[in-house]
Amino acid sequence: MNDATDNLRNVRNRIAQAAREAGRPTDSVSLVAVSKTFEATDIRPVLEAGQRIFGENRVQEAQGKWPELRREFPDIELHLIGPLQSNKAKEAVALFDVIETVDREKIAKALADEMRKQERQLPVYVQVNTGLEEQKAGVDPRAAVDFVGRCRHVHGLTVAGLMCIPPFEENPGPHFALLEKLAGEAGVGKLSMGMSGDYETAIAFGATSVRIGSAIFGAR
Ligand SMILES: *Cc1c(COP(=O)(O)O)cnc(C)c1O
């Protein structure tokens, strides 16, 4: 039994417990295992333990390990959770199944163009900078509802939901609450929020998926 497999089981139990405490069905929260910086040899035991949804934050890094893992495990669902440059849109659309970090017009257009070219309509999330942090990606919360509308109606993207990364030093609750409110206003159903340190709180605020790295794979 390897550490990551134990950790995975523990995280799954805690997700189920948090869902129950929130009065939600346990299958209403999905787990995105964040494998950035870890190698295929670290990831394989987690796949063997049944995990199928993974998150990576760099296109190039993901290209180096996932094509081979996919040949072994064809039903993998890979999420891009890091910032995307428009010159990487082609590779991103070819490799990933969900893009969680759409946050500007140029990226929305580049992705839409690639999806048409590759005939691969992927669900996307709009990333919202709930803390208005200068260094952080994401749309201004005040522009989020309008931007979701533009992604849908101008670019023809399938916007599944919203994603956020709250400021590191703050209580995340108000940020999760804001994301939930904006999703309601924008008419999208999914909320990608919560990481190793705060996923139970995120579930209490309605997260439909949590992105968990170090609590499964260990410190980076
Ligand atoms: C790295 C990362 C995570 C996972 O972080 P942990 O604290 O290790 O769980 C989640 N979301 C995003 C966007 C990340 O870049």
Side-chain angles (χ1 to χ4, degrees):
M1 183 69 41
N2 123 324
D3 279 354
T5 316
D6 282 343
N7 292 343
L8 177 69
R9 186 179 320 104
N10 183 37
V11 165
R12 286 196 171 290
N13 287 339
R14 286 175 57 179
I15 290 172
Q17 179 68 25
R20 275 193 298 275
E21 281 167 13
R24 304 177 50 194
T26 55
D27 64 2
S28 66
V29 185
S30 62
L31 168 61
V32 179
V34 177
S35 47
K36 65 185 183 200
T37 79
F38 289 92
E39 316 259 339
T41 47
D42 301 311
I43 299 169
R44 203 169 276 111
V46 174
L47 279 158
E48 279 160 1
Q51 178 65 26
R52 286 296 180 272
I53 311 176
F54 290 85
E56 288 281 347
N57 70 341
R58 288 169 191 273
V59 176
Q60 206 167 341
E61 182 189 336
Q63 277 176 317
K65 51 191 170 181
W66 286 99
E68 186 189 331
L69 289 168
R70 261 195 214 279
R71 281 191 284 278
E72 293 168 56
F73 302 91
D75 54 344
I76 283 166
E77 181 182 303
L78 198 56
H79 291 221
L80 178 64
I81 61 168
L84 178 61
Q85 303 300 320
S86 51
N87 63 2
K88 289 272 170 57
K90 179 177 175 182
E91 286 88 344
V93 169
L95 181 64
F96 288 92
D97 302 294
V98 180
I99 311 273
E100 296 205 13
T101 50
V102 178
D103 67 351
R104 56 197 189 280
E105 204 74 34
K106 194 175 172 195
I107 283 296
K109 180 175 185 329
L111 287 171
D113 289 348
E114 271 308 322
M115 289 182 197
R116 270 189 296 273
K117 258 188 228 160
Q118 300 184 30
E119 294 181 25
R120 212 172 129 66
Q121 184 72 26
L122 308 182
V124 304
Y125 286 67
V126 166
Q127 182 175 353
V128 183
N129 188 355
T130 58
L132 288 169
E133 293 174 281
E134 234 165 73
Q135 79 289 2
K136 201 165 270 174
V139 296
D140 185 313
R142 291 160 294 203
V145 173
D146 185 56
F147 183 66
V148 169
R150 291 185 59 77
C151 285
R152 284 177 156 162
H153 304 119
V154 177
H155 301 293
L157 290 171
T158 304
V159 183
L162 303 182
M163 178 271 215
C164 76
I165 310 168
F168 188 66
E169 333 68 36
E170 282 181 36
N171 171 9
H175 296 273
F176 297 150
L178 174 59
L179 201 70
E180 198 268 340
K181 173 174 158 283
L182 292 172
E185 289 170 15
V188 296
K190 305 261 183 169
L191 289 170
S192 171
M193 55 190 200
M195 317 196 335
S196 292
D198 57 17
Y199 65 94
E200 286 148 310
T201 306
I203 290 167
F205 281 94
T208 60
S209 63
V210 290
R211 309 177 308 268
I212 301 182
S214 48
I216 295 171
F217 291 101
R220 286 183 296 271

